[in-house]
């Protein structure tokens, strides 16, 4: 049975590290740009400073409360989208009646 032994070489680590950095650099630049644009857009909204101040103070006083509020906000968003999907799904399940059937029911 052959055993493989890996010998540490600082040159390999530096070259693989620089190659990884070169590969990830465009992605990180794009991510940084996107986050910066999102921050600028959020700060342009009226009342955003008040919301940020509320979140900071709330988190400083009680981090558990912040987590609970985030979970509740996510649940509210999920509920809104779920009800829209349910309405669309129920609309597909309606029975299509002909004019004759409608007249018979009326």
């Amino acid at each position: 049975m052959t055993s493989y032994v890996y010998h540490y070489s600082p040159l390999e680590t530096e070259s693989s590290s620089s190659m990884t950095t070169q590969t990830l650099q465009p992605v990180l630049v794009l991510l940084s740009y996107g986050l910066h644009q999102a921050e600028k857009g959020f700060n342009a909204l009226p009342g955003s400073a008040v919301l940020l101040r509320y979140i900071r103070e709330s988190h400083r006083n009680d981090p558990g409360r912040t987590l609970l509020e985030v979970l509740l906000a996510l649940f509210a968003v999920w509920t809104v989208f779920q009800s829209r999907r349910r309405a669309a799904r129920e609309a597909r399940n309606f029975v299509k009646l002909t004019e004759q059937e409608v007249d018979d029911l009326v």
Side-chain angles (χ1 to χ4, degrees), residues 7-58:
H7 296 285
Y8 172 74
S9 170
L11 294 177
E12 286 179 359
T13 305
E14 289 174 9
S15 66
S16 64
S17 174
S18 68
M19 188 167 39
T20 304
T21 304
Q22 290 172 353
T23 306
L24 290 178
Q25 187 175 9
V27 173
L28 295 175
V29 167
L30 185 64
L31 182 63
S32 175
Y33 176 76
L35 289 174
H36 179 70
Q37 291 300 320
E39 181 182 7
K40 275 179 46 179
F42 178 76
N43 288 335
L45 294 174
S48 63
V50 174
L51 181 64
L52 282 176
R53 187 173 56 239
Y54 169 75
I55 292 171
R56 281 189 194 114
E57 291 298 320
S58 172

Side-chain angles (χ1 to χ4, degrees), residues 82-100:
Q82 189 69 17
S83 65
R84 287 183 183 176
R85 279 189 251 143
R86 185 178 303 135
R89 195 174 346 151
E90 289 174 358
R92 286 186 306 211
N93 294 333
F94 281 128
V95 176
K96 306 282 189 218
L97 298 176
T98 64
E99 288 292 325
Q100 178 64 32

